[in-house]
Coordinates of all heavy atoms in Angstrom, one line a residue:
Chain A
C299 N 4.7 13.2 9.8 CA 4.3 12.6 8.5 C 4.9 11.2 8.5 O 6.1 11.0 8.6 CB 4.9 13.5 7.4 SG 4.6 12.8 5.7
V300 N 4.0 10.3 8.3 CA 4.5 8.9 8.1 C 4.0 8.4 6.8 O 2.8 8.6 6.3 CB 3.9 8.1 9.2 CG1 4.2 6.6 9.0 CG2 4.3 8.5 10.6
Y301 N 4.8 7.7 6.1 CA 4.5 7.3 4.8 C 4.7 5.8 4.6 O 5.4 5.1 5.4 CB 5.3 8.0 3.6 CG 6.8 7.7 3.8 CD1 7.5 6.7 3.1 CD2 7.6 8.4 4.6 CE1 8.8 6.5 3.3 CE2 9.0 8.2 4.9 CZ 9.6 7.3 4.1 OH 10.9 6.9 4.3
E302 N 4.0 5.2 3.6 CA 4.1 3.8 3.4 C 4.4 3.6 1.9 O 3.6 4.2 1.0 CB 2.8 3.1 3.7 CG 2.4 3.0 5.2 CD 1.1 2.3 5.3 OE1 0.7 1.5 4.6 OE2 0.3 2.8 6.3
T303 N 5.5 2.8 1.6 CA 5.7 2.5 0.2 C 6.7 1.3 0.2 O 7.5 1.2 1.2 CB 6.3 3.6 -0.6 OG1 6.5 3.1 -2.0 CG2 7.6 4.2 0.0
R304 N 6.6 0.4 -0.8 CA 7.6 -0.6 -0.9 C 8.8 -0.2 -2.0 O 9.7 -0.9 -2.0 CB 7.0 -2.0 -1.4 CG 6.0 -2.5 -0.3 CD 5.4 -3.9 -0.8 NE 4.6 -4.3 0.2 CZ 3.8 -5.5 0.0 NH1 3.8 -6.1 -1.2 NH2 3.0 -5.9 0.8
D305 N 8.5 0.9 -2.5 CA 9.5 1.4 -3.5 C 10.7 1.8 -2.8 O 10.7 2.2 -1.7 CB 9.0 2.6 -4.3 CG 7.9 2.2 -5.3 OD1 7.3 1.1 -5.1 OD2 7.7 2.8 -6.2
T306 N 11.9 1.5 -3.4 CA 13.2 2.1 -2.9 C 13.5 3.4 -3.2 O 14.4 4.1 -2.6 CB 14.3 1.0 -3.3 OG1 14.4 1.0 -4.6 CG2 14.1 -0.3 -2.7
T307 N 12.9 3.8 -4.3 CA 13.2 5.3 -4.8 C 11.9 6.0 -4.8 O 10.8 5.7 -5.4 CB 13.7 5.2 -6.3 OG1 14.9 4.5 -6.5 CG2 13.9 6.7 -6.8
Y308 N 11.9 7.1 -4.1 CA 10.8 7.9 -3.9 C 11.1 9.3 -3.4 O 12.3 9.5 -3.2 CB 9.7 7.2 -2.9 CG 10.3 7.0 -1.5 CD1 10.3 7.7 -0.5 CD2 10.8 5.6 -1.3 CE1 10.9 7.4 0.7 CE2 11.3 5.2 -0.1 CZ 11.4 6.1 0.9 OH 11.9 5.9 2.1
Y309 N 10.2 10.2 -3.4 CA 10.5 11.6 -3.0 C 9.5 12.0 -2.1 O 8.3 11.7 -2.1 CB 10.5 12.5 -4.2 CG 11.6 12.1 -5.2 CD1 11.5 11.1 -6.1 CD2 12.8 12.7 -5.2 CE1 12.4 10.6 -7.0 CE2 13.9 12.4 -6.1 CZ 13.7 11.2 -6.9 OH 14.6 10.9 -7.8
L310 N 9.9 12.8 -1.1 CA 8.9 13.3 -0.1 C 9.0 14.8 -0.1 O 10.0 15.6 -0.4 CB 9.4 12.9 1.3 CG 9.2 11.4 1.5 CD1 10.1 11.0 2.7 CD2 7.8 10.9 1.7
F311 N 7.8 15.4 0.1 CA 7.6 16.9 -0.1 C 6.8 17.4 1.1 O 6.1 16.7 1.7 CB 6.9 17.2 -1.3 CG 7.4 16.8 -2.6 CD1 7.4 15.6 -3.1 CD2 8.1 17.8 -3.5 CE1 8.0 15.1 -4.2 CE2 8.6 17.4 -4.6 CZ 8.6 16.1 -5.0
W312 N 7.0 18.7 1.4 CA 6.1 19.4 2.3 C 5.7 20.7 1.6 O 6.5 21.3 0.9 CB 6.8 19.8 3.7 CG 6.7 18.8 4.6 CD1 7.8 17.9 4.9 CD2 5.8 18.6 5.6 NE1 7.4 17.1 5.9 CE2 6.3 17.4 6.4 CE3 4.5 19.1 5.8 CZ2 5.4 17.0 7.4 CZ3 3.8 18.6 6.9 CH2 4.2 17.6 7.6
Y313 N 4.3 20.9 1.7 CA 3.6 22.1 1.1 C 3.0 22.8 2.3 O 2.4 22.2 3.1 CB 2.8 21.7 0.0 CG 3.3 21.4 -1.3 CD1 3.7 20.0 -1.6 CD2 3.6 22.3 -2.3 CE1 4.2 19.6 -2.8 CE2 4.1 21.9 -3.6 CZ 4.5 20.6 -3.7 OH 5.0 20.2 -4.9
K314 N 2.9 24.1 2.1 CA 2.2 24.9 2.9 C 1.1 25.7 2.3 O 1.2 26.0 1.2 CB 3.1 26.1 3.5 CG 2.4 27.1 4.4 CD 3.5 28.2 4.8 CE 2.9 29.3 5.6 NZ 3.7 30.4 6.1
Q315 N -0.1 25.5 3.0 CA -1.3 26.3 2.3 C -1.8 27.3 3.3 O -2.5 27.0 4.2 CB -2.5 25.2 2.0 CG -3.6 25.9 1.3 CD -4.6 24.9 0.9 OE1 -4.9 23.9 1.7 NE2 -5.2 25.1 -0.4
P316 N -1.5 28.6 3.2 CA -1.9 29.7 4.1 C -3.4 29.9 3.9 O -3.9 29.4 2.9 CB -0.9 30.9 3.7 CG -0.5 30.5 2.3 CD -0.5 29.0 2.1
P317 N -3.9 30.8 4.7 CA -5.4 31.1 4.6 C -5.8 31.6 3.2 O -6.8 31.4 2.8 CB -5.6 32.1 5.7 CG -4.6 31.7 6.7 CD -3.4 31.4 5.9
S318 N -4.8 32.3 2.5 CA -5.1 32.7 1.2 C -5.4 31.7 0.1 O -6.0 31.8 -0.9 CB -4.0 33.6 0.6 OG -2.7 32.9 0.7
G319 N -5.0 30.4 0.5 CA -5.4 29.3 -0.4 C -4.4 28.6 -1.3 O -4.6 27.4 -1.7
E320 N -3.3 29.3 -1.6 CA -2.4 28.8 -2.6 C -1.5 27.8 -1.8 O -1.3 27.8 -0.7 CB -1.6 29.9 -3.3 CG -0.5 30.4 -2.3 CD -0.9 31.5 -1.5 OE1 -2.2 31.7 -1.2 OE2 -0.1 32.3 -0.9
L321 N -1.0 26.9 -2.7 CA -0.1 25.8 -2.2 C 1.4 26.3 -2.4 O 1.8 26.4 -3.6 CB -0.3 24.5 -2.8 CG -1.5 23.8 -2.2 CD1 -2.2 22.9 -3.3 CD2 -1.2 23.0 -1.0
V322 N 2.2 26.4 -1.4 CA 3.5 26.9 -1.5 C 4.5 25.7 -1.2 O 4.4 25.0 -0.1 CB 3.7 28.0 -0.5 CG1 5.2 28.5 -0.6 CG2 2.8 29.1 -0.8
F323 N 5.4 25.4 -2.2 CA 6.3 24.3 -2.0 C 7.4 24.8 -1.0 O 7.8 25.8 -0.9 CB 7.0 24.1 -3.3 CG 8.3 23.4 -3.2 CD1 8.3 22.0 -3.0 CD2 9.5 24.0 -3.4 CE1 9.4 21.3 -3.0 CE2 10.8 23.3 -3.3 CZ 10.7 21.9 -3.1
L324 N 7.7 23.8 0.0 CA 8.6 24.0 1.0 C 10.0 23.3 0.8 O 11.0 23.8 0.9 CB 8.0 23.7 2.4 CG 6.9 24.6 2.9 CD1 6.4 24.1 4.2 CD2 7.2 26.1 3.0
I325 N 9.8 21.9 0.6 CA 11.0 21.2 0.5 C 10.8 19.9 -0.2 O 9.7 19.4 -0.2 CB 11.5 20.8 2.0 CG1 12.9 20.1 1.9 CG2 10.6 19.9 2.7 CD1 13.7 20.0 3.1
R326 N 11.8 19.3 -0.8 CA 11.8 18.0 -1.4 C 13.0 17.2 -0.9 O 14.0 17.8 -0.7 CB 11.8 18.2 -2.9 CG 11.7 16.9 -3.7 CD 11.9 17.0 -5.1 NE 13.3 16.9 -5.5 CZ 13.7 16.7 -6.7 NH1 12.8 16.7 -7.8 NH2 15.1 16.6 -7.0
R327 N 12.8 15.9 -0.7 CA 13.8 15.0 -0.2 C 13.7 13.8 -0.9 O 12.6 13.2 -1.0 CB 13.7 14.8 1.3 CG 14.7 13.9 1.9 CD 16.1 14.4 1.8 NE 16.3 15.4 2.9 CZ 16.9 16.5 2.5 NH1 17.2 16.8 1.2 NH2 17.1 17.5 3.4
N328 N 14.8 13.2 -1.5 CA 14.7 11.9 -2.2 C 15.1 10.8 -1.1 O 15.6 11.0 -0.1 CB 15.6 11.8 -3.4 CG 17.0 11.8 -3.1 OD1 17.5 11.0 -2.3 ND2 17.8 12.7 -3.7
S329 N 14.7 9.6 -1.5 CA 14.8 8.4 -0.5 C 16.2 8.0 -0.2 O 16.6 7.3 0.7 CB 14.1 7.3 -1.1 OG 14.5 7.0 -2.4
F330 N 17.2 8.5 -1.0 CA 18.5 8.1 -0.7 C 19.3 9.2 0.1 O 20.5 9.1 0.4 CB 19.2 8.0 -2.0 CG 18.7 6.9 -2.9 CD1 18.0 7.3 -4.1 CD2 18.9 5.7 -2.6 CE1 17.4 6.2 -4.8 CE2 18.3 4.6 -3.3 CZ 17.5 4.9 -4.4
D331 N 18.7 10.2 0.5 CA 19.2 11.3 1.2 C 18.6 11.5 2.4 O 17.6 12.2 2.6 CB 19.2 12.6 0.3 CG 19.9 13.8 1.0 OD1 20.4 13.5 2.1 OD2 19.8 15.0 0.5
E332 N 19.1 10.9 3.6 CA 18.5 11.0 4.9 C 19.2 12.2 5.8 O 18.8 12.3 6.9 CB 18.7 9.8 5.6 CG 17.9 8.6 5.1 CD 17.8 7.4 6.1 OE1 17.3 7.4 7.2 OE2 18.5 6.4 5.8
Q333 N 19.9 13.0 5.1 CA 20.3 14.2 5.9 C 19.2 15.1 6.2 O 18.3 15.4 5.4 CB 21.3 15.0 5.0 CG 22.7 14.4 4.9 CD 23.7 15.3 4.2 OE1 23.2 16.3 3.6 NE2 24.9 15.0 4.3
N334 N 19.3 15.5 7.5 CA 18.2 16.5 8.0 C 18.6 17.9 7.3 O 19.8 18.1 6.9 CB 18.3 16.7 9.5 CG 17.7 15.4 10.1 OD1 16.9 14.7 9.5 ND2 18.2 15.1 11.3
E335 N 17.6 18.6 7.2 CA 17.7 20.1 6.5 C 17.2 21.1 7.5 O 16.1 20.9 8.0 CB 17.2 20.0 5.2 CG 17.3 21.4 4.4 CD 17.2 21.2 2.9 OE1 17.3 20.0 2.4 OE2 16.9 22.2 2.2

Side-chain angles (χ1 to χ4, degrees):
Chain A
C299 173
V300 174
Y301 62 93
E302 294 178 30
T303 179
R304 292 182 180 175
D305 289 23
T306 56
T307 301
Y308 52 88
Y309 299 81
L310 296 162
F311 299 77
W312 275 95
Y313 284 87
K314 174 182 179 180
Q315 187 176 40
S318 52
E320 75 274 21
L321 282 151
V322 178
F323 164 73
L324 294 178
I325 189 172
R326 184 185 89 167
R327 174 67 73 231
N328 73 53
S329 54
F330 299 107
D331 182 2
E332 284 194 75
Q333 284 189 343
N334 292 332
E335 182 157 338

